Amino acid sequence: MGTVAAIGSRTDVSGLALAGVDVLVAEDPDAVRRAWRTLPATVSLVLLTPEAAEALGDAVTAPAPGRPLTVVMPS
């Protein structure tokens, strides 16, 4: 089974670490894109804040073979 990661601002994702989620703090669009590019291959689900999803664009959040499932957190 794969792991779960979350990408977004510290205030939005840090609490998810308590549930065992790998938290990748990214405070700006460049940091979000870096976090996405460095996701380990073991990640099967990525939780994105709305701002992180916007920084990544539709192409990254669309389902595709070999890409982790992504979910955008409600704002």
Side-chain angles (χ1 to χ4, degrees), residues 8-68:
S9 67
R10 182 176 308 281
T11 57
D12 291 333
V13 298
S14 61
L16 296 170
L18 295 171
V21 174
D22 295 332
V23 171
L24 302 165
V25 174
E27 299 289 348
D28 60 70
D30 288 334
V32 169
R33 289 186 282 273
R34 276 192 306 274
W36 179 265
R37 285 192 306 269
T38 61
L39 283 173
T42 58
V43 174
S44 59
L45 173 64
V46 181
L47 307 171
L48 300 170
T49 63
E51 296 79 13
E54 184 177 330
L56 293 173
D58 292 336
V60 174
T61 58
R67 182 180 303 146

